[in-house]
Amino acid sequence: MKKLFALVLAVSGSAASAQTPTTNPMPDGSRDMYVGLGAISAPRYEGADSRKVSALPLLQVQWSHGLFISGMSAGMHLSERPTVEYGPLLTLHASRDESGLGGEIGAFENSSLMPSLIPEPLSRSSGNPLVGMDKIDARLQVGGFFNYYLAPQWRFTSSLVYGAGIDRDGVQLQLGAQRLAAQITQHHTLSFSAGATVANRAYNQSYFGVSPAQARTSGNAVYTADSGLKDLRLGVRWNWALTPSWMLTSNVQVLRLMGDARRSPLVERPNHLTVSTALAYRF
């Protein structure tokens, strides 16, 4: 069970992605549940130069029939093959206003529902490009996932979701590869991940574009963001099994905006560093 616990934590999703936990063979009618609390330091929004530190509540539940909840994502494993995972996926995309991205419950990594621990006064005079831009409400995204095990510890991941953005017509395709739970000592494991996100024009224009009306209210230059590669990312996670039920999990992720997203006038810094640590308990 300790090995399984480490494996599930190792493949939990990032702030920018809709990852799925590994298939967890369990007796019929049973479930695994992980909860925790920690802290995360991340940019206020994709492209921001300033950062915020937030409390990080964690949640992941998986039932024997395949249904799972992982942070702000939910889905169902439909495959019966041990090397293939696929099924429907629902995710909640965080809202964005002048203060940055809204909160989320973390899949052992994401942002927080709780307020920022270090609030920052923001105004147009402070150089905040989001002042005067339209608020984008939280959006429910629907889609699916497909994962394939190249080897027992290597997994190719993919997901396609629809529904983000101002008009709810944004699409994101996320592709990735993961090295799962490489044991370095008896109670310590490292996991590695790499990935990319491709977005359609509706998504990129919502989060990185500036319409003529928005240019008049914000002072930003008019900008049209087309579809294409949105970002590349690398991550490493360290899990420390304190007991069979308690674990300290820490993650570092580097993300670089690409293409039209990187060239947006809303982007102050194309490179992101997100650092989180949390204590998790398995029920």
Side-chain angles (χ1 to χ4, degrees):
M1 281 299 183
K2 184 186 298 184
K3 182 177 180 181
L4 176 61
F5 182 44
L7 184 61
V8 172
L9 283 176
V11 298
S12 299
S14 72
S17 61
Q19 297 286 358
T20 59
T22 57
T23 301
N24 183 0
M26 295 179 287
D28 289 344
S30 63
R31 62 115 172 99
D32 275 334
M33 181 175 181
Y34 306 87
V35 296
L37 184 66
I40 182 170
S41 173
R44 288 189 299 107
Y45 66 92
E46 288 189 307
D49 187 39
S50 57
R51 304 176 63 81
K52 67 177 181 180
V53 178
S54 301
L56 177 65
L58 310 176
L59 173 65
Q60 182 167 291
V61 188
Q62 184 164 312
W63 288 268
S64 59
H65 50 61
L67 184 67
F68 64 84
I69 298 172
S70 184
M72 300 302 285
S73 301
M76 190 168 188
H77 287 283
L78 298 180
S79 175
E80 296 182 356
R81 296 173 55 189
T83 59
V84 176
E85 300 166 343
Y86 63 83
L89 186 66
L90 294 175
T91 71
L92 187 63
H93 195 292
S95 62
R96 192 192 74 180
D97 58 19
E98 293 179 356
S99 65
L101 289 176
E104 299 179 5
I105 297 176
F108 301 97
E109 188 168 331
N110 292 343
S111 301
S112 168
L113 282 175
M114 300 183 181
S116 173
L117 297 179
I118 304 179
E120 300 180 26
L122 299 172
S123 65
R124 189 71 187 106
S125 61
S126 70
N128 175 21
L130 295 187
V131 172
M133 295 292 294
D134 294 340
K135 177 183 178 181
I136 307 174
D137 293 329
R139 301 300 194 199
L140 180 66
Q141 302 177 109
V142 299
F145 67 93
F146 176 85
N147 305 326
Y148 181 76
Y149 285 83
L150 305 172
Q153 298 298 321
W154 287 93
R155 186 171 78 150
F156 165 79
T157 64
S158 64
S159 66
L160 181 68
V161 291
Y162 169 88
I166 295 175
D167 296 321
R168 298 183 175 86
D169 54 356
V171 177
Q172 294 182 85
L173 170 65
Q174 296 182 341
L175 305 172
Q178 299 170 337
R179 171 59 169 94
L180 309 178
Q183 189 162 354
I184 53 177
T185 65
Q186 184 177 359
H187 301 290
H188 301 267
T189 60
L190 289 177
S191 302
F192 303 91
S193 64
T197 304
V198 178
N200 71 344
R201 179 173 182 174
Y203 182 95
N204 280 341
Q205 182 63 25
S206 291
Y207 295 97
F208 299 99
V210 181
S211 69
Q214 291 171 332
R216 288 192 294 270
T217 58
S218 69
N220 295 305
V222 174
Y223 183 75
T224 300
D226 211 341
S227 60
L229 181 64
K230 182 181 83 70
D231 63 60
L232 299 173
R233 59 189 181 275
L234 294 172
V236 59
R237 177 175 295 281
W238 166 47
N239 288 337
W240 180 6
L242 304 172
T243 72
S245 297
W246 286 97
M247 177 172 289
L248 183 68
T249 178
S250 302
N251 183 74
V252 176
Q253 178 177 269
V254 178
L255 180 146
R256 178 171 176 82
L257 293 173
M258 305 294 292
D260 282 7
R262 179 179 60 83
R263 292 184 285 269
S264 168
L266 304 180
V267 172
E268 302 169 311
R269 182 187 295 268
N271 299 320
H272 292 180
L273 176 66
T274 300
V275 180
S276 65
T277 188
L279 187 65
Y281 181 78
R282 175 181 181 270
F283 288 87

